[in-house]
Amino acid sequence: MKITLSPIERRALKAKAHALVPVVMIGDHGLTPAIIREIDRNLKAHELIKIRASTDDREQRTKWFDEICDALNAAPIQHIGKTYIVWRHSLELAAATAKAALPKAKRKTPRVTKRQEENKAAGIKKKKVR
C-alpha cells in the first residue's frame, strides 16, 4: 500500500532530495529481496532516499518503482530516468530528532562548603597537590 502525499508535500520532499546521492543501487539481478531489505533499512535511517536502477528498460524501472513503494508502504516522490526518490515516515528518526530538540539540562553548580566560601571571600586560593 502506497502512501499518498499532497502535491505541496511532494514538492517540498523533491527539494530536500535534490542534494542527495543514491544510497541503493539496483543491479543486473533486478529487484531482489536483499535490495528490498536494504531500501527498508535506509528508509528507517533517513526517511527520504534516492535509488538508482541500472537497467535501460523503462517499463521494468516503472514496475520496480511501484513494487518498492507497495512492498515498503512508502510514498513515491519522483521517478526521473534511472533515479527514484522514495519517502516513508520513520518513527525511530522522529523520536531521535525530538530528543535532540529538547533543551539541554542546565549544569548544576558544585556545592561549596563553609570553609571554601570563607577562603574565597578572603582571597585564599587552594594549593595544588602534586
Side-chain angles (χ1 to χ4, degrees):
M1 181 173 109
K2 291 181 191 177
I3 296 174
T4 55
L5 298 174
S6 71
I8 294 170
E9 292 171 323
R10 278 193 306 133
R11 188 179 323 136
L13 289 169
K14 281 182 194 179
K16 285 175 75 174
H18 183 71
L20 297 178
V21 294
V23 292
V24 178
M25 305 288 274
I26 302 174
D28 296 332
H29 296 292
L31 193 61
T32 63
I35 297 289
I36 295 288
R37 283 192 306 270
E38 188 65 27
I39 293 170
D40 184 41
R41 187 178 308 129
N42 279 289
L43 282 171
K44 284 180 185 174
H46 303 292
E47 284 190 343
L48 181 68
I49 63 169
K50 273 189 183 178
I51 303 166
R52 182 106 172 135
S54 65
T55 185
D56 290 328
D57 185 11
R58 181 179 298 184
E59 292 173 8
Q60 185 67 38
R61 290 193 311 258
T62 305
K63 182 181 169 189
W64 285 348
F65 191 46
D66 291 334
E67 284 180 31
I68 289 168
C69 294
D70 286 336
L72 299 175
N73 297 326
I77 302 299
Q78 191 173 28
H79 174 203
I80 294 182
K82 296 181 178 184
T83 305
Y84 315 130
I85 300 172
V86 181
W87 177 83
R88 181 178 70 190
H89 183 68
S90 172
L91 296 176
E92 294 93 13
L93 190 59
T97 54
K99 186 177 180 182
L102 291 175
K104 294 185 178 180
K106 292 183 180 179
R107 192 170 181 182
K108 293 182 179 180
T109 57
R111 285 184 65 187
V112 181
T113 63
K114 193 171 188 177
R115 177 174 279 161
Q116 289 172 334
E117 286 178 357
E118 291 170 356
N119 289 343
K120 187 175 181 181
I124 302 172
K125 291 187 178 180
K126 183 179 177 182
K127 293 183 182 180
K128 291 184 180 179
V129 179
R130 291 186 185 207

